[in-house]
Amino acid sequence: MLTSVLVANRGEIARRIFRTARSLGLSTVAVHSTADAAMPFVGEADAAVQLPGNAPADTYLRGELVIEAALKAGADAVHPGYGFLSENAGFAQAVIDAGLTWIGPPVDAISSMGSKIEAKKLMAAAGVPVLAELTPAEVSVDDLPVLVKASAGGGGRGMRVVSRLADLPGEIEAASAEALSAFGDGTVFCERYLAAGRHIEVQIMADQHGTIWAVGERECSIQRRHQKVVEEAPSPLVERIPSMRAELFDAARKAAAAIGYVGAGTVEFLADEGGAFYFLEMNTRLQVEHPVTEETTGLDLVELQFAVATGAHLPPKPPPTVGHAIEVRLYAEDPAQDWQPQTGVVRRFALSGKKLAPGGENVPESGAGRWPRMRVDSGVEDGSEVSPYYDAMLAKVIVWAPDRTSAARRLSAELTRATIHGVQTNRDLLVWVLRHPAFLAGETDTAFFEKHGVGVAVGAEVLRASALAAALADAAGRVGPVRVPAGWRNVPSQPQRNAYRVGDVTVAIEYRLTRDGLVVDGNMALVDSAPERVVLEVDGVRRAFHVGTYDGLVCVDSSLGSVALTPVERFTDPSQQVSPGSLLAPMPGTVIRVGVQVGDEVKQGQPLLWLEAMKMEHTISAPADGVLSELRVEAGQQVEVGAVLAVVGEEA
């Protein structure tokens, strides 16, 4: 009988597993890096053990330290979550050798699927459809485009799309280096690339007595950088093609049976619009997107993992799928800047106007038995810091409803009303996707963003109204309880002036407060103002703007959207100025490659340096034609956000 479980993971998945463990009467143990010491998952565990250091290679990927922590804390089981060591057969064996229960599949099954190259051979022999593997040396022009993939891992790391044969050697080298850094194995292979395929996966649950469930399928086609952004169950494509579900389930069960699978796993397929599908990989662990399956079946997949690991029998058949569930991954990132991850402190994080219960769980307003249901699996709360060392996902927001359209409508509305201050997120992009006609029509292939762009630009009028609200809230705060904004003059002279920056855009505001009220150029009138809430009439429509003010940041939420404003100081600190042509680090990270030397002529857009941060590789390119006059970093060097990496001067 299990009594205590250590979760060898962090963030939202650690909280998710703790939630089920507590419901089963198990005590919980967390491991954490130095950077994660104050994160919510650590505080929610009954016991916690620090793994000194910050980088994953020094902490969460150190299997021997994790097992030592489990033994020290008195745990008798280890749950790996997803990522990190979850698909490491050596770690699973070491857990078992230490006398602990491994909450995962058999070691041999992990080994069988650990190499994508060998996995595809096994699946082909079992009768599962596969895409032919291509060795880099045999790729020809007729095979293009091809996808270069890491053999040992997933999550978009070590993956490159190659459309020109001349680019193949360089992309293979880059993919191999990224795979080696992420998974400790630089092996890569190529396969035919379906630019507009559908990513369909089947949830598997199998016990130790030969019962294999195909619990339901999910569609995860909307992706960026080969990483999933929106997931749903059931799949719109499979719903449209009547015979496809039975064929998918049969192939998934064959895949599981071929390797003697036990526990929760996912068989992933790439499908075309006609319903033909091909095996991609099998994930021998819980998936990030497992909540949509739970919401449509009523199952707790983590509870089943514990049950199967201790020898329980599954019923002959899984429960049926009911209704529709959609999950979105809320990331700290800037979609308009090539999905650049963001770091910083989450000042406020709330959905439906309330802070979330520990571990996320269903938002209180959902109510038992009501629909649509909303669930939030979150790794952060007010005051949490998003560090550069780990994935930038803040939370998963999931809505279930009787039909797909209702689920999309409720989820987009909840995201619109959410209060997320302190770091930039992809929230507006997610709302745009959920309301896009192509998404609502079920046209959700992997080329969604290539086809439709990234519709996240904030209109000039929204920026201007939000900036005015920020200025008036600031003025109201300086006056106190009188509720008359600062700047009022009996005999007005100069207008009040405020300026804010949003990305590369500066919004300047001028206004007067007179006996007749607010005087501002344009179509806005003041109804009421207070330090945290300003009501404006915009084009004859009254709207409330909720203002959150923090050190160097003002966040404004309204029905028009959410805007994060950086106040522009009237006088610039000379110490903060940098030379023209300076390349600044967009985030903290590690310089992994330098492609130029001082004195080299460079062209605008030419890649000069490569940074690794937050599980991604980022290219730093030349801002203009010129000559590299300074190079201040070298490969392997850690840099902070805003650090000057190099300077491009004018051509001689």
Side-chain angles (χ1 to χ4, degrees), residues 160-310:
R160 299 287 192 282
V161 177
V162 182
S163 300
R164 298 193 317 147
L165 203 57
D167 296 337
L168 186 60
E171 295 292 6
I172 287 174
E173 181 182 355
S176 180
E178 189 176 10
L180 183 64
S181 171
F183 313 119
D185 184 344
T187 306
V188 298
F189 66 99
C190 302
E191 66 185 18
R192 184 163 58 94
Y193 178 60
L194 300 182
R198 307 282 285 247
H199 189 117
I200 314 293
E201 60 190 37
V202 178
Q203 176 68 56
I204 288 293
M205 181 62 70
D207 64 20
Q208 300 177 24
H209 312 286
T211 300
I212 302 175
W213 282 357
V215 181
E217 90 280 348
R218 302 183 284 256
E219 181 158 344
C220 314
S221 298
I222 296 184
Q223 304 178 4
R224 56 97 170 102
R225 288 189 165 189
H226 307 293
Q227 291 182 314
K228 302 161 188 173
V229 179
V230 181
E231 300 109 345
E232 55 183 312
S235 157
L237 176 67
V238 177
E239 289 280 272
R240 179 165 58 82
I241 301 175
S243 63
M244 190 176 178
R245 179 169 290 121
E247 294 171 1
L248 276 169
F249 286 8
D250 181 60
R253 284 190 292 261
K254 283 180 180 177
I259 58 172
Y261 200 78
V262 174
T266 302
V267 187
E268 301 197 351
F269 299 94
L270 189 63
D272 62 25
E273 290 297 327
F277 58 87
Y278 308 92
F279 173 82
L280 282 177
E281 62 186 13
M282 183 171 184
N283 291 298
T284 54
R285 55 172 168 81
L286 199 66
Q287 289 282 88
V288 178
E289 56 273 18
H290 76 274
V292 293
T293 297
E294 294 185 325
E295 293 302 311
T296 51
T297 61
L299 294 171
D300 183 330
L301 294 176
V302 175
E303 182 177 346
L304 288 174
Q305 283 185 295
F306 281 109
V308 166
T310 53

Side-chain angles (χ1 to χ4, degrees), residues 351-354 362-368 370 372 374 410 414:
L351 284 96
S352 288
K354 290 189 177 182
N362 289 319
V363 173
E365 285 82 356
S366 296
R370 295 178 58 197
M374 184 171 77
R410 170 65 185 270
E414 292 291 351

Side-chain angles (χ1 to χ4, degrees), residues 50 91 133 144 170 224 226 243 263 335 338 443 463 493 528 638:
Q50 179 169 326
F91 175 66
E133 176 203 340
L144 298 174
R224 56 97 170 102
H226 307 293
S243 63
D338 195 26
E443 299 168 4
L463 291 180
S493 175
D528 188 23
Q638 293 276 341

Side-chain angles (χ1 to χ4, degrees), residues 412-424:
S412 64
E414 292 291 351
L415 289 170
T416 300
R417 300 187 191 108
T419 303
I420 309 167
H421 294 170
V423 292
Q424 186 169 353

Side-chain angles (χ1 to χ4, degrees), residues 568-587:
V568 177
E569 301 296 334
R570 294 193 178 188
F571 303 101
T572 303
D573 184 348
S575 66
Q576 301 299 314
Q577 294 181 317
V578 296
S579 303
S582 295
L583 282 78
L584 307 182
M587 70 204 73

Side-chain angles (χ1 to χ4, degrees), residues 8 63-64 66-67 78 80 85-86 88-96 102:
E64 74 280 10
V66 173
I67 293 171
V78 172
L85 295 166
S86 62
N88 186 309
F91 175 66
Q93 186 62 59
V95 168
I96 295 167
W102 169 247

